């Protein structure tokens, strides 16, 4: 080994020893917890219908935002329990509306943003996350494909109820689901939910072609 390389090896060893001899951090050395909610409250502003009230988390959102991201089995059961309690079927017991109106709900992404007209109905934006009709080329893949939904699954009372509940409040079935809670959070009206149900189930809907 040349003297030069030797010196390099020694300084690398010194560095290693120095790193290893650093005392483990005590609680007092830890950086302060970030006040993310505080930073958001200080920097966001009310803008028309998009008010700071939207920063208030409900219990589900609080549990699903816990630091570390790991959801305990007890918290998962709690989320399902509180969201199941919100479920409500269609008031007249009829699950299916008009599939053409439902296609508009599935394709429309506007609503609830500060610059949307609050007197206009919100969209469901289903295509942002799901493939639905085969003829539609633009869709997101965060959620599973719903192509041929009714054709593949049939329209038994159980399947209608399951799908309605999923759209009404996805967290009643999958804790911390990424899918919006359309009925529970009044994003869609009952009629819009019926129409989007028909879009999924009707034999002559583009979803089932
Ligand atoms: C932000 C993304 C997102 C949007 C928007 C969204 N979904 Fe979902 N959806 C998901 C995800 C993710 C799943 C699967 C995992 C879960 O349940 O959370 C899912 C699951 C489903 C399922 C259950 C599928 C199965 O295999 O049983 C149905 C039905 C469904 N979505 C319908 C809809 C409809 C109808 C709309 C529009 C009104 C919609 N989704 C909007 C993300 C989304």
């Amino acid at each position: 080994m040349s003297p030069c390389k030797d010196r390099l090896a020694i300084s690398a060893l010194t560095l290693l020893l120095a790193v290893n001899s650093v005392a483990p951090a005590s609680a007092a050395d830890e950086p302060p917890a970030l006040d993310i909610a505080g930073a958001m409250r200080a920097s966001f502003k009310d803008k028309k219908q998009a008010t700071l009230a939207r920063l208030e988390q409900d219990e589900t959102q609080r549990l699903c935002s816990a630091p570390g991201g790991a959801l305990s089995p007890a918290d998962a059961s709690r989320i399902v329990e509180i969201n199941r309690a919100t479920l409500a079927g269609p008031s007249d017991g009829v699950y299916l509306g008009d599939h053409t109106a439902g296609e508009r709900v599935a394709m429309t992404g506007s609503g609830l943003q500060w610059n949307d007209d609050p007197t206009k109905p919100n969209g469901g934006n289903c295509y942002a996350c799901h493939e639905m009709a085969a003829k539609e080329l633009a869709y997101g893949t965060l959620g599973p494909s719903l192509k041929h939904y009714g054709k593949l699954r049939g329209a038994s009372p159980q399947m209608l109820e399951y799908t309605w509940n999923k759209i009404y409040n996805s967290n009643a079935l999958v804790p911390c689901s990424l899918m919006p809670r359309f009925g529970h959070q009044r994003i869609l009206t009952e009629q819009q939910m019926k129409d989007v149900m028909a879009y999924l189930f009707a034999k002559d809907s583009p979803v089932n072609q």
Side-chain angles (χ1 to χ4, degrees):
M1 207 187 264
S2 76
C4 182
K5 271 195 188 146
D6 229 16
R7 260 203 305 283
L8 265 182
I10 289 169
S11 49
L13 185 69
T14 324
L15 193 68
L16 196 70
L17 289 174
V19 168
N20 280 345
S21 64
V22 170
S26 69
D29 293 333
E30 275 175 20
L34 291 176
D35 180 13
I36 295 170
M40 288 199 293
R41 266 193 302 277
S43 61
F44 289 5
K45 291 189 177 65
D46 280 346
K47 231 174 172 186
K48 295 191 178 171
Q49 57 185 327
T51 68
L52 292 187
R54 292 191 183 173
L55 293 178
E56 305 304 324
Q57 296 184 317
D58 68 9
E59 188 179 356
T60 300
Q61 291 165 327
R62 224 170 22 251
L63 290 171
C64 292
S65 309
L71 190 65
S72 72
D75 286 349
S77 310
R78 172 78 187 145
I79 291 166
V80 168
E81 180 193 322
I82 55 185
N83 285 284
R84 277 202 78 82
T86 72
L87 292 176
S91 48
D92 58 1
V94 179
Y95 283 104
L96 302 178
D98 169 46
H99 73 76
T100 311
E103 179 168 59
R104 257 194 320 279
V105 173
M107 289 186 159
T108 304
S110 53
L112 298 173
Q113 297 174 91
W114 72 268
N115 53 352
D116 287 323
D117 178 353
T119 64
K120 295 232 173 82
N122 300 320
N125 212 12
C126 318
Y127 272 101
C129 296
H130 295 286
E131 176 180 31
M132 300 179 91
K135 65 169 185 179
E136 177 53 57
L137 299 179
Y139 55 85
T141 53
L142 193 63
S145 172
L146 305 175
K147 190 169 80 176
H148 298 157
Y149 192 84
K151 195 168 155 183
L152 291 171
R153 303 190 190 206
S156 64
Q158 293 81 355
M159 190 47 71
L160 291 176
E161 189 188 359
Y162 160 76
T163 306
W164 178 273
N165 288 347
K166 184 74 200 166
I167 298 170
Y168 194 95
N169 186 344
S170 53
N171 273 260
L173 295 146
V174 177
C176 303
S177 166
L178 298 175
M179 180 163 148
R181 295 175 283 172
F182 291 104
H184 173 50
Q185 302 207 310
R186 308 274 178 273
I187 300 168
L188 297 180
T189 62
E190 184 180 275
Q191 187 59 48
Q192 286 179 306
M193 288 186 48
K194 289 181 177 199
D195 293 341
V196 96
M197 285 281 289
Y199 187 52
L200 289 172
F201 284 103
K203 281 203 177 65
D204 52 347
S205 158
V207 169
N208 295 314
Q209 305 317 305

